[in-house]
Structure formats: structure tokens, C-alpha cells
Amino acid sequence: MTVLKVTNLTKTFGGLKAVSDVNIEINQGELVGLIGPNGAGKTTIFNLLTGVYEPTVGEVVFLGKNTRNLKPYEVNHLGMARTFQNIRLFNDLTVLDNVKIAYHSHAKHGVVSSILRLPSFVKGEEEMIHKAIDFLKIFKLENKKDEIAKNLPYGEQRRLEIARALAAQPKLLLLDEPAAGMNPNETKELMEMIRWVREKFNLTILLIEHDMSLVMGVCERIYVLDYGQLIAHGKPEEIKNNPKVIEAYLGEEVAHA
Amino acid sequence: MIWMQQKKNYLSMILTIAALVSIWALVDYLTSGRPPILSGYYKLNIILLCINIILAVSLNLINGFTGQFSIGHAGFMAVGAYLSAVFTQKIMIVETIAAVTGLDPTGDVARTAGLLIAVFIGAMAAAVVGVVIGMPTLRLRGDYLAIATLGMGEIIRGLVLNIEYVGGAAGMSGITQLSSWTTVFILTIISVVVIKNFINSTHGRACISIRENEIAAETMGINTTKYKVLAFSIGAFFAGLAGALHAHYFYTIQPGTFNFLKSFDILVMVVLGGMGSLTGSIIAAILLTFLSAALQDLAALRMVIYALLLILIMIFRPQGLMGNKELSFATFGSLFGKKSSTGGGEQRDGSQSN
Ligand SMILES: Nc1ncnc2c1ncn2[C@@H]1O[C@H](COP(=O)(O)OP(=O)(O)OP(=O)(O)O)[C@@H](O)[C@H]1O
Ligand SMILES: [Mg+2]
């Protein structure tokens, strides 16, 4: 079953074509990688998928629905959740509240019930706490539930973002460089958690990673982006030996030198 | 879990109720004797204090908790004040109730019922104005709301100034004093409890998440426009309620009663108390109402002192007296039990969606 189908996706910023004629198709249960050098347009694709940006040209069909003109929260309600490359937590709130907010759209108690503290409020809020703690446990954050999010160490902030995204109970999870800034041990642990949640929640995952070797280890299929265009697509071994990919990444190394 | 928490807070709740009842009884005792122990001037300021608490707490919902910037709270007050006064002075709601039910129109029951209906209608009208102003402006990011609310205040003032039915420039005078210490006190408690309960629920957290990070909130499934408009109109509702109580205690309302300076007063209370702290707003309302009473004879100096106060807060304690912390009997309890957690600095981020 196709979860996500992207056709001719294009986004221009002024004169810059950040994303150019991109086609992507992802099936239920897949763990797909999206890689490419700095500024290739990976994050822009996430912003287009989640409704943060409007495509200049092209279509995004998610679970059979065209998401054009949908707001980010509507896309989220369809079953898509994401993390951000530059962590975007609710900084001054507790770890638990961060996760509870993502569960909000599944809450059944209304405003009046909350103001009057009706039994449905008590039941609803209690359920939210239980669910949120379950997600925190997966990412080994349950002991930190009462800490203020911004006081967490970096690696834990990244994990909290994923826990929060999962609390929205998505079918498709978009992870934007989840391992950025982590040490090799943390990265390894994180990749195991990602694989584990995919099984447990029957998730489809699209993962952006800057680091090619890392993404090779976990992804079944990889799309490679360079200057806004898809330059390759296939299994990790195919990508590894693709001359275009090597050139794109070599070019970057030369530029960095 | 909430039940356990609620049991833990049980004592705190009983203490709070006991404190509120004592305050009510004490003020009632001090102001209702013949002659009263405290003069009418004190009572007037105590009533004003309650009205200011409603105003500060409701503006905090918009500015402090939801992170929007409204500077026209007095405009909503005006809507509530004028509309409720029209209902009691022109439509004669108290007399109508008395005629329909056979109650004595000068009796407490008919008067209170009339007041409550007029107050509710005034508050609802303010909430509707809130929705009308909020819907187009709250979609936009940035300072549009500030400009729109500022403009709204002036438009409402201009409107009532030119409507002879509500007295034009002279305003409405001789409004029946239907508000009493008891009704004002009870409605103040209800206002604070409603806003507190809203904030401490998933809907309130949805509002707070907008303040914390609008893009993250929206991508996590929060309909940010809906919750901004909701918070804004709940805030407007209670400002309208405060305006209605004001009109029915102070006999007169004039277009100038609800000008920008009044909005500024309320804003100073919210900033001084702490954006995102209800108890902070209450403490600041108490401090500033008494400060303002003490400066009664130096009316011209008052605004200078307010402005200076605002600047001093910005420099020395930008998060306000309470930051985003709350004070309760439970807090006092836990102060002895365990160290309170560290709090403080604000973090706002840009709009780039990486
Ligand atoms: N809102 C915006 N306005 C203008 N230009 C933008 C905007 N967002 C992204 N860009 C540009 O689009 C290009 C692609 O950016 P994007 O962030 O998608 O790259 P990326 O592949 O995620 O890179 P990185 O690996 O550094 O995260 C860049 O040149 C960037 O400067
Ligand atoms: Mg990026």
C-alpha cells in the first residue's frame, strides 16, 4: 500500500529552486532515507510534506488524500508527524507536557468539560498522562518527566522530540537528522529505538540524514538529493556505488576542504 | 493520577476556600456596618481591585499564556459596560424580571438576577467582538493583533461617543448600583477559576504551546488559529464581564473611562505579575490598585510612575514578579518538603522552519 506519493514537487524561493521536480513513493512499513549534501533541499521537502510550505508546483498525496491547501495541523491529523533539524520543543514546559500536547488532537474532553472539571475531563487527562508516560518510557525519559524541556541535555532533547512526534500517533513519521550532534553510542542506541518503534507501532518512516554511512545501516531504500533534484534512488548498496552520488558527496568534501 | 494529585491538593483547596470565605466575611463586616468601619472610599477600591484582578487574569490568558499581544483590553470592558447598562437602564431588565416573576423589583433577588443577565450579555457581546477582531488578525503572525486591538479600542470609544442613545460624550450616568461586594467577589472567584481550569487542561496547554513554539504546535496537530481566537475571546468575555460590573458599581460610564490608558494599566499588571502566572496577575493587581489609590492626588504623576515601573521591571525582572510560576498553599507546603525547581529566562525563536 502506498502511504506517500510525491509527484513533480517543486519549491522556489525567489530565484532559488530549493526543490525541483521531485518524485517519491513510500509504501506502508518502509524505512526510507533521504540524503544529500548541505542545502540540497531535504528539510524543504519535509516542510512541503507537512504543510509548513506550499509547493510551487507538484502534488503530495498522503494516504490517498491530496494535501494541497491543508494546514500543518490538518496534515498531522491525517497521520503525519515530524521532528525538526533545529530542535523545536516547547522549551519552558515539562517533558511530560511536551508529549501531552502532541496527544491533544486525540483527547475527547471538550473546553466546557475542562472548565467544569467534569468526570470526562478527569478521565481524559488521566489517559493523556498514561499515554505520554508510555511514550517517554520508550525513549528512557520517564524519570525526567517533570524536568523543563530546555534543561535536558542535547541528546535527550532529540529523543523527546521523537517521543512527542509519536504521541501524535502518526502513520508516517518524518525524522530530520535525529542523530545530529549525538555521539556514536547515542546514535547507535537511537537507531535501535527507531527500528523498535517502527515494529511496535507499524510505522512508515522517512529519515533525513546528512551522514551517508549511518543511513546505509538502517534504511531499506534511499533517495539522494542534490541541488534540489533527485539524483539517485535505490537500495543502499546501489546508492553506495552510484557515481553521481559519489560525485555529489565528493564535491561537498572538496568544497569543505 | 489526577485523583491522587487532587487528593494531595485537597488540603490546599480547603485552605484556599477558608481564606476566601474569611476575606469575604472580613470585608463584609468592615464595610457593611452603620456607619461602616471602613469608609466608602476603601470599599470602592476593594471593588476596583476585584475588577482589576478579572482584567489582569483575562489579559494574561491572551498575552501571557497564548503569547499574543493584545493592548486593547479596555475596549472589551467598554462593550460589556455599555451593553449591560443598556440592558438595565434602557431595557429595564430588573423590572421586567420582577414583572414576569412577581418578585419585588427593589429586592435583592430580582436585582441580582437582572445584574447577572446584563453582565452575561455584556460579556458575551465582548466575546463576539473578540471573535470578529481575532479571526482575521490572529491568523497573521507578528504585531497585527497589537495594532488591531489598539484600533478596536479607539473605534469602540468613537462609536459610543457618537451614539446619543448611550449618552454620547457625557456617557451614561445614574446607573443603578446593582453590583455588590458579594456579587463582585463571587464573580471574581468564578472568573479566576474558569481561566485557571481552562489553562490547566489540554485546551490550555494547546494555547501555551502556541506561545512556546507556534510551528511545532501547528505540526503537532494544534489548530493554532482556533486556539488563539478561543483564548482571545475568552479573555474578551471576562474583560466585558469586568466592564459590566464596573458600570453597575460606579454609577457612571463615559467613553473616556475605557481609553488606552486603562488598557495600559491592565498590561502593566500582567507584565509586573509575570506573563503566564495567574497568581502573579492577582498580586500585581493588588499592588497596583493600592498604589494607584495612594497616588490619587497625584493623578498626573501616576502615568509617569507606571511607565517608570514598567521600565524598571524590564531591566531588573523581565519575567515579572512570578515569572511563569504559580503560588498556592500547596507551593508553601512543598517549599518545606523539597527544593523548588529553577525557573526563569524566556526563549523565543525565529520563524525559519528547519
Ligand atoms: N524559507 C526559506 N527562504 C529562502 N530560502 C530557503 C528557505 N528555506 C530553505 N531555503 C534554501 O533552500 C535550500 C535548501 O535548504 P534546506 O534547508 O532544505 O537544505 P537541507 O538539505 O535540509 O540542508 P542541511 O543538510 O544543511 O539541513 C538552501 O539553499 C536554503 O538556503
Ligand atoms: Mg536540513
Side-chain angles (χ1 to χ4, degrees):
Chain A
M1 195 188 103
T2 309
V3 169
L4 183 75
K5 192 169 160 68
V6 173
T7 38
N8 305 330
L9 194 67
T10 302
K11 178 73 188 175
T12 55
F13 294 111
L16 176 81
K17 260 197 178 176
V19 174
S20 176
D21 208 22
V22 165
N23 295 291
I24 294 174
E25 192 166 342
I26 300 176
N27 294 317
Q28 164 61 37
E30 279 190 300
L31 205 171
V32 177
L34 179 60
I35 64 170
N38 271 318
K42 306 180 294 292
T43 299
T44 305
I45 289 185
F46 270 23
N47 285 330
L48 291 166
L49 295 179
T50 52
V52 174
Y53 294 159
E54 281 259 307
T56 311
V57 180
E59 309 271 85
V60 175
V61 176
F62 175 54
L63 295 172
K65 283 206 184 64
N66 194 323
T67 65
R68 181 164 280 275
N69 298 328
L70 290 190
K71 297 230 171 122
Y73 80 88
E74 294 171 311
V75 176
N76 174 281
H77 292 180
L78 287 181
M80 199 191 298
R82 71 177 283 189
T83 64
F84 295 88
Q85 183 174 358
N86 298 345
I87 302 174
R88 285 180 169 275
L89 289 169
F90 305 124
N91 273 326
D92 282 329
L93 302 187
T94 63
V95 167
L96 187 65
D97 279 349
N98 265 272
V99 179
K100 273 154 78 179
I101 286 166
Y103 190 71
H104 171 77
S105 43
H106 301 279
K108 287 170 208 80
H109 51 293
V111 175
V112 173
S113 157
S114 301
I115 287 173
L116 299 178
R117 292 288 191 253
L118 298 181
S120 66
F121 161 83
V122 177
K123 200 165 146 276
E125 295 281 327
E126 214 168 312
E127 186 189 320
M128 281 182 125
I129 293 175
H130 283 307
K131 294 261 184 187
I133 288 177
D134 284 346
F135 287 113
L136 288 177
K137 276 185 186 151
I138 297 173
F139 292 93
K140 302 195 173 73
L141 288 166
E142 76 269 28
N143 296 328
K144 305 247 173 161
K145 71 180 169 58
D146 296 322
E147 293 216 14
I148 302 298
K150 70 176 174 209
N151 296 338
L152 291 184
Y154 191 77
E156 290 181 349
Q157 291 197 11
R158 285 236 171 260
R159 272 164 27 212
L160 175 57
E161 254 213 328
I162 304 175
R164 183 180 68 174
L166 278 181
Q169 306 190 327
K171 301 198 176 66
L172 174 65
L173 180 63
L174 308 178
L175 301 172
D176 196 345
E177 304 205 19
M182 285 188 174
N183 66 38
N185 269 337
E186 285 176 318
T187 304
K188 195 162 154 275
E189 207 183 349
L190 178 77
M191 288 302 157
E192 271 156 28
M193 286 172 185
I194 290 173
R195 264 187 289 225
W196 190 82
V197 293
R198 173 171 70 141
E199 297 304 322
K200 162 108 179 167
F201 297 104
N202 197 17
L203 279 174
T204 308
I205 297 177
L206 179 59
L207 176 86
I208 292 182
E209 252 312 329
H210 194 68
D211 180 349
M212 255 222 307
S213 58
L214 193 155
V215 91
M216 295 288 166
V218 287
C219 296
E220 290 130 15
R221 222 149 47 78
I222 293 170
Y223 287 91
V224 189
L225 206 62
D226 193 20
Y227 293 110
Q229 289 180 315
L230 279 184
I231 55 165
H233 156 227
K235 294 208 159 60
E237 350 23 300
E238 297 164 9
I239 295 297
K240 216 180 297 189
N241 303 316
N242 185 312
K244 276 189 182 169
V245 178
I246 294 169
E247 196 193 332
Y249 271 79
L250 270 180
E252 193 190 32
E253 253 137 60
V254 172
H256 276 222
Chain B
M1 283 213 46
I2 288 187
W3 278 125
M4 276 166 59
Q5 224 172 304
Q6 284 188 342
K7 266 176 207 155
K8 254 194 224 164
N9 290 341
Y10 205 57
L11 188 68
S12 169
M13 207 164 108
I14 291 179
L15 284 171
T16 309
I17 292 171
L20 290 174
V21 171
S22 320
I23 291 171
W24 173 81
L26 182 67
V27 173
D28 194 57
Y29 168 73
L30 290 174
T31 57
S32 62
R34 265 163 227 260
I37 299 168
L38 287 182
S39 71
Y41 176 70
Y42 284 96
K43 188 173 178 186
L44 180 147
N45 276 298
I46 290 169
I47 299 281
L48 203 54
L49 164 60
C50 287
I51 291 174
N52 282 339
I53 287 175
I54 301 176
L55 290 167
V57 164
S58 58
L59 184 66
N60 206 339
L61 173 62
I62 303 169
N63 290 22
F65 289 93
T66 316
Q68 306 306 301
F69 198 65
S70 168
I71 47 175
H73 222 45
F76 295 124
M77 259 188 107
V79 173
Y82 271 93
L83 206 73
S84 62
V86 163
F87 266 80
T88 58
Q89 307 313 121
K90 309 272 181 183
I91 299 175
M92 298 299 182
I93 186 87
V94 175
E95 291 72 9
T96 313
I97 291 171
V100 171
T101 58
L103 288 165
D104 172 13
T106 57
D108 274 348
V109 179
R111 283 164 59 98
T112 307
L115 174 73
L116 291 181
I117 291 173
V119 164
F120 184 74
I121 290 171
M124 276 312 284
V128 170
V129 173
V131 173
V132 171
I133 304 281
M135 287 274 255
T137 47
L138 286 165
R139 286 172 195 283
L140 309 166
R141 224 154 278 176
D143 306 324
Y144 291 97
L145 185 71
I147 296 160
T149 49
L150 190 63
M152 174 202 70
E154 289 309 298
I155 290 169
I156 289 170
R157 211 166 59 83
L159 271 178
V160 290
L161 198 64
N162 288 295
I163 299 176
E164 278 312 312
Y165 182 67
V166 293
M172 294 174 82
S173 52
I175 299 170
T176 330
Q177 194 185 56
L178 296 172
S179 305
S180 67
W181 159 242
T182 306
T183 46
V184 170
F185 187 64
I186 291 175
L187 285 175
T188 304
I189 293 171
I190 291 176
S191 305
V192 174
V193 168
V194 165
I195 292 175
K196 175 184 163 291
N197 284 358
F198 176 78
I199 286 165
N200 293 322
S201 78
T202 189
H203 304 285
R205 280 193 300 275
C207 293
I208 295 171
S209 74
I210 298 171
R211 172 193 77 192
E212 290 293 308
N213 196 316
E214 193 165 346
I215 290 176
E218 179 96 22
T219 48
M220 285 302 126
I222 307 294
N223 182 345
T224 53
T225 305
K226 172 182 147 185
Y227 277 100
K228 281 193 263 180
V229 173
L230 184 64
F232 189 61
S233 49
I234 292 177
F237 178 94
F238 285 106
L241 184 146
L245 289 178
H246 182 106
H248 290 89
Y249 193 84
F250 295 98
Y251 306 107
T252 348
I253 47 174
Q254 283 161 345
T257 315
F258 310 105
N259 60 9
F260 173 69
L261 291 180
K262 182 67 201 173
S263 294
F264 183 68
D265 271 8
I266 308 166
L267 190 63
V268 174
M269 285 175 202
V270 172
V271 175
L272 173 65
M275 306 269 261
S277 169
L278 293 181
T279 37
S281 284
I282 295 171
I283 293 167
I286 296 172
L287 291 176
L288 289 181
T289 306
F290 287 125
L291 177 68
S292 155
L295 296 175
Q296 197 75 33
D297 301 329
L298 305 162
L301 259 183
R302 200 176 71 97
M303 281 333 281
V304 179
I305 291 176
Y306 266 47
L308 274 178
L309 191 64
L310 201 57
I311 294 168
L312 288 177
I313 304 166
M314 287 306 170
I315 296 172
F316 293 108
R317 204 169 162 82
Q319 75 273 38
L321 293 173
M322 295 291 297
N324 57 10
K325 301 277 173 296
E326 298 291 353
L327 204 64
S328 71
F329 285 106
T331 333
F332 284 123
S334 65
L335 275 184
F336 301 106
K338 62 169 196 235
K339 271 188 205 154
S340 63
S341 64
T342 50
E346 280 273 288
Q347 272 193 3
R348 297 272 154 92
D349 53 308
S351 58
Q352 256 252 339
S353 338
N354 281 305

